[in-house]
Amino acid sequence: MERMKMHSRDNVAANVEAVGLLFPNALTEVMQDGKAVQAIDFDVLRQELSREIVEGREERYAFTWPDKRQSILAANAPIAMALRPIVEDSVGRDGTAGAFDSENLYIEGDNLDVLKLLQETYLGKVKMIYIDPPYNTGNDAFVYDDDFAMEGVDFVSANVPYDEHGNMVYDFKKNLDSNGRFHTDWLNMIYPRLKVAKSLLAEDGVIFISIDDNEQENLKKVCNELFGEQNFVATLIWEKVHTRKNSAINFSSSHEYVLCYAKVRRNSIKDNRGWKRNLLPRENTDSYTNPDMDPKGPWKADPITAHNYYAADYTITKPNGEVICRPQDRYWAYSEASIRRFIEDNSILWGEGRSMPMVKRYLCDVQNGLVPVTLFKREFAGDTSQAKRQIDELFSECRGIFDYTKSVDLMYRLAQISLNPGDIVLDFFSGSATTAHAVMQLNAEDGGSRKFIMVQLPEVTDEKSEAYRAGYRNICEIGKERIRRAGAKIAAEAGEKAARLDRGFRCLRLDTSNMTDVYYAPDAVTQDGLFAQVDNVKADRTPEDLLVQTMLDLGILLSSSIVVEEVAGRRVFNVADGFLLACFDRDVTDEVVTAIAQRRPYYAVFRDASMADDSALTNFDQLFAAYSPATVRRVL
């Protein structure tokens, strides 16, 4: 059986492979830790790209900052970490506490590490990403002490400190504006996260990033580099407040930005590639009536002229024989061919006397919706005061539980524009989980099955805050509770429409790898240490922990169905209706192996120490060869 790798995607190896496909003559081998590994001969590659390569100190356009190369390394370096299921914090599809059947995910941990773990499984599967990262206002707290200095294939986990509750401790440092690396530290934080996140986007996917004037310029340059300037869609303006601050020194700030980039931007209506935005529904159609019982249905009268020049100048002959020209200060709104078609279809309202004709605009021709505009006014997408009311209504016993949350309406509009009923949305600066709230609201209204993935660092709450006094020790606890309460509220208000609404989430927490050091570096174990490591799985890890890491390793969505079955007295995990059958118990007999093989799964996974005896181990391959030779067998 082939051993599973049990670490995140190695982007450097993937890039070497991609370059090798284009330029196989640039592939070479180098010795690393006594092993030959593939590498790129850059001298050969320069020869292949000699017309484009920029050598030496020749001036060029570039956006750079100190440690940019380290940021690229941080994005590409693989990690040996794991996501552990927290069943007691999870919520089922119907709101049942402690159930693990939801297709939504809530993940606690450093979002860079989490994105790397999700990278292979969710590669190209996320339709929309929204993030509300720190704005670098001069008092933001970042986590800087990530160690990306691992070399080669040494994936041994670092020594991570834990608190008294067994949770990983993150070292936060405030990025004060007096810091000489003020912009550098922010760029080093955001760049690798966006670089990894891009790989999760589907080809028809889109990313929205909230920001203000502190880093908007730098963020746009980063996105131009990572997503491509040609894939910039728009800078949305969100009207965040409606009051004027007369105490402002210069201007009273009333807006924030939302940068929008497509994975692939469409260049025309007929272009079938890339992100296709949805039209906004028409919310007021009362002005459309049908007083003349027109067979095409309700209509309203529209002017036949406009201020802007649209078509060639021509004359129109009314049924009474009168020939009319366009008014001196206006132009025809339609081409002459269109007017002739309207006349043939009886869609012109000629009026009486010398009045100017009008054209019928039918509801059936326009009901598909409206093109969204880049100005998101507060009446359309809410504002900060509304956002505060929304979360205070959910936490009525603890008003002021979360500062600076985004409006549900803003997230709702972005989802409405970008997502179709079965799509996945990712928010890896989840905060109070506003995005999850909006997705559930949209699903309840149209019966959709959109799925969310929320990722949030368990940043501790201030001991003087309302949240701390209410018993919420970190931001993740607030976010999870908001989803619980918002889901219950939406379901109650929607009634039968929400019968199929998934208002739960599977909770997972970032931790060190489930595997001991010997799994990743068996050559480094001495004879004395060999007897101390009788198992390559850490003693505190459960079969459920191993299952989640196995699913990530094999590229199986973490939202897949999981059923625990008993086979010959052993626990077997049935994932995605038999796609994966995994058994991590000890003393696995021929009877267990036979029962699994007879069900012909695509993947079958066991622990290295699973087999009951040498006989069972010897018979393993023979049993699968007999009953299911196509099954891919893996061991960890």
Side-chain angles (χ1 to χ4, degrees):
M1 287 182 289
E2 184 177 336
R3 185 174 293 274
M4 298 174 65
K5 65 183 190 324
M6 306 300 276
H7 61 74
S8 69
R9 174 187 170 93
D10 188 342
N11 285 333
V12 171
N15 291 338
V16 168
E17 182 180 358
V19 172
L21 291 175
L22 290 173
F23 306 103
N25 57 328
L27 277 179
T28 185
E29 289 185 350
V30 296
M31 297 302 296
Q32 193 172 78
D33 298 328
K35 298 178 181 179
V37 296
Q38 278 196 330
I40 297 297
D41 186 329
F42 285 95
D43 288 334
V44 174
L45 189 61
R46 284 189 180 92
Q47 293 175 16
E48 296 286 356
L49 304 174
S50 59
R51 287 191 299 173
E52 287 83 12
I53 198 74
V54 180
E55 298 282 5
R57 298 186 178 183
E58 183 177 338
E59 292 183 356
R60 71 198 78 171
Y61 177 81
F63 176 55
T64 190
W65 62 90
D67 292 338
K68 182 177 180 180
R69 292 183 178 181
Q70 185 71 13
S71 293
I72 298 172
L73 175 64
N76 288 334
I79 57 168
M81 303 287 282
L83 294 180
R84 303 182 67 184
I86 313 298
V87 178
E88 59 271 22
D89 283 3
S90 302
V91 178
R93 293 178 59 90
D94 60 356
T96 303
F100 208 69
D101 62 348
S102 172
E103 293 188 80
N104 302 314
L105 305 178
Y106 188 97
I107 306 175
E108 303 177 23
D110 185 325
N111 51 18
L112 179 56
D113 290 339
V114 172
L115 288 171
K116 288 184 176 186
L117 291 176
L118 296 178
Q119 191 173 16
E120 194 152 18
T121 301
Y122 288 86
L123 189 73
K125 291 184 173 67
V126 175
K127 181 63 174 294
M128 169 183 152
I129 295 175
Y130 170 80
I131 58 170
D132 184 19
Y135 285 4
N136 212 20
T137 59
N139 202 34
D140 294 308
F142 306 147
V143 178
Y144 292 128
D145 292 344
D146 298 323
D147 182 12
F148 305 108
M150 293 184 292
E151 297 180 356
V153 293
D154 183 10
F155 303 115
V156 179
S157 301
N159 183 23
V160 181
Y162 289 79
D163 62 17
E164 66 275 16
H165 304 294
N167 298 321
M168 295 175 68
V169 177
Y170 294 93
D171 186 11
F172 289 88
K173 296 181 181 179
K174 286 195 172 181
N175 194 31
L176 303 176
D177 51 14
S178 58
N179 175 16
R181 293 169 51 92
F182 181 61
H183 292 293
T184 290
D185 285 341
W186 187 87
L187 288 165
N188 286 335
M189 179 276 297
I190 199 69
Y191 187 92
R193 286 159 173 81
L194 289 178
K195 192 174 191 301
V196 179
K198 179 191 175 185
S199 67
L200 303 182
L201 271 183
E203 286 302 299
D204 60 346
V206 65
I207 183 170
F208 296 100
I209 310 172
S210 284
I211 201 67
D212 69 1
D213 283 312
N214 287 288
E215 294 291 354
Q216 190 268 350
E217 180 181 6
N218 285 333
L219 178 62
K220 195 165 187 294
K221 290 178 180 177
V222 167
C223 289
N224 282 344
E225 178 173 316
L226 292 177
F227 296 95
E229 190 172 359
Q230 72 278 9
N231 292 316
F232 169 72
V233 177
T235 299
L236 309 179
I237 308 298
W238 177 51
E239 187 183 22
K240 66 175 183 177
V241 296
H242 69 283
T243 56
R244 185 194 308 269
K245 291 184 179 179
N246 283 323
S247 60
I249 299 174
N250 295 307
F251 289 89
S252 177
S253 178
S254 61
H255 73 278
E256 290 179 3
Y257 307 102
V258 182
L259 294 187
C260 175
Y261 281 79
K263 182 71 172 288
V264 178
R265 191 185 73 173
R266 299 167 71 226
N267 294 316
S268 70
I269 296 295
K270 297 181 180 180
D271 191 350
N272 292 322
R273 305 175 311 138
W275 178 58
K276 182 180 180 181
R277 56 99 182 97
N278 298 324
L279 295 173
L280 293 167
R282 293 179 179 271
E283 297 176 351
N284 182 12
T285 58
D286 294 341
S287 58
Y288 290 84
T289 61
N290 194 4
D292 59 352
M293 301 302 292
D294 192 306
K296 285 192 67 175
W299 53 269
K300 71 175 181 178
D302 269 6
I304 204 169
T305 62
H307 284 295
N308 58 310
Y309 176 77
Y310 178 75
D313 202 357
Y314 52 86
T315 60
I316 296 176
T317 303
K318 298 178 71 172
N320 61 8
E322 180 185 357
V323 178
I324 57 174
C325 303
R326 64 172 179 83
Q328 186 174 358
D329 59 341
R330 295 176 68 86
Y331 295 89
W332 300 122
Y334 303 92
S335 67
E336 187 172 7
S338 295
I339 291 295
R340 288 174 181 168
R341 188 173 65 253
F342 292 151
I343 294 174
E344 292 173 1
D345 294 341
N346 295 318
S347 297
I348 297 291
L349 302 170
W350 296 107
E352 298 179 358
R354 301 182 62 82
S355 61
M356 184 61 65
M358 303 281 279
V359 64
K360 285 184 177 181
R361 180 180 293 273
Y362 292 95
L363 179 59
C364 65
D365 293 334
V366 299
Q367 63 185 0
N368 286 337
L370 300 168
V371 174
V373 297
T374 55
L375 178 59
F376 278 32
K377 296 184 70 66
R378 51 186 294 271
E379 294 84 4
F380 173 73
D383 58 16
T384 54
S385 62
Q386 183 198 53
K388 186 179 186 307
R389 288 195 304 271
Q390 288 167 338
I391 195 168
D392 282 349
E393 287 175 2
L394 290 175
F395 294 86
S396 56
E397 80 286 0
C398 180
R399 294 183 179 274
I401 190 172
F402 201 90
D403 296 327
Y404 311 119
T405 183
K406 286 292 185 291
S407 165
V408 174
D409 292 40
L410 174 61
M411 300 297 99
Y412 179 94
R413 293 301 188 184
L414 295 177
Q416 196 177 41
I417 291 168
S418 305
L419 297 175
N420 294 320
D423 290 335
I424 299 174
V425 58
L426 166 67
D427 183 345
F428 55 89
F429 284 95
S430 171
S432 68
T434 307
T435 302
H437 187 161
V439 169
M440 289 189 295
Q441 183 70 54
L442 185 56
N443 282 341
E445 292 179 7
D446 68 3
S449 56
R450 302 166 187 86
K451 306 164 188 64
F452 62 75
I453 302 174
M454 301 291 104
V455 183
Q456 177 57 45
L457 195 70
E459 183 179 351
V460 297
T461 52
D462 192 304
E463 294 184 4
K464 299 178 181 178
S465 67
E466 291 293 330
Y468 189 89
R469 284 193 284 269
Y472 298 98
R473 293 296 179 259
N474 61 56
I475 291 177
C476 291
E477 293 180 6
I478 299 173
K480 289 180 290 187
E481 183 62 18
R482 178 179 189 167
I483 299 174
R484 296 186 189 103
R485 297 189 182 197
K489 181 174 185 290
I490 291 168
E493 292 174 349
E496 292 184 2
K497 288 181 63 177
R500 299 177 58 210
L501 175 67
D502 185 349
R503 54 191 178 98
F505 57 87
R506 299 182 183 187
C507 182
L508 302 115
R509 186 172 295 152
L510 181 71
D511 207 331
T512 56
S513 173
N514 296 316
M515 316 309 290
T516 59
D517 292 352
V518 68
Y519 188 91
Y520 299 102
D523 296 342
V525 179
T526 63
Q527 186 172 358
D528 292 337
L530 185 62
F531 296 102
Q533 302 202 38
V534 295
D535 198 348
N536 57 13
V537 177
K538 292 177 180 175
D540 65 333
R541 302 307 162 96
T542 67
E544 287 77 10
D545 295 332
L546 299 178
L547 177 66
V548 170
Q549 192 164 7
T550 297
M551 292 170 68
L552 286 172
D553 207 75
L554 298 178
I556 301 173
L557 296 182
L558 298 181
S559 58
S560 301
S561 63
I562 301 173
V563 178
V564 183
E565 303 174 358
E566 185 173 314
V567 176
R570 299 292 176 265
R571 292 177 74 210
V572 174
F573 294 97
N574 179 345
V575 180
D577 297 324
F579 184 74
L580 161 67
L581 294 179
C583 181
F584 304 117
D585 287 357
R586 293 181 180 275
D587 297 326
V588 173
T589 63
D590 287 352
E591 184 181 1
V592 178
V593 175
T594 300
I596 292 175
Q598 286 177 334
R599 294 175 58 177
R600 298 182 179 180
Y602 187 87
Y603 284 113
V605 178
F606 300 85
R607 281 177 67 167
D608 199 16
S610 287
M611 298 304 148
D613 49 38
D614 290 342
S615 175
L617 184 62
T618 302
N619 294 335
F620 180 90
D621 276 325
Q622 295 177 1
L623 290 171
F624 268 96
Y627 293 108
S628 185
T631 294
V632 180
R633 284 96 76 186
R634 293 285 188 269
V635 64
L636 55 84

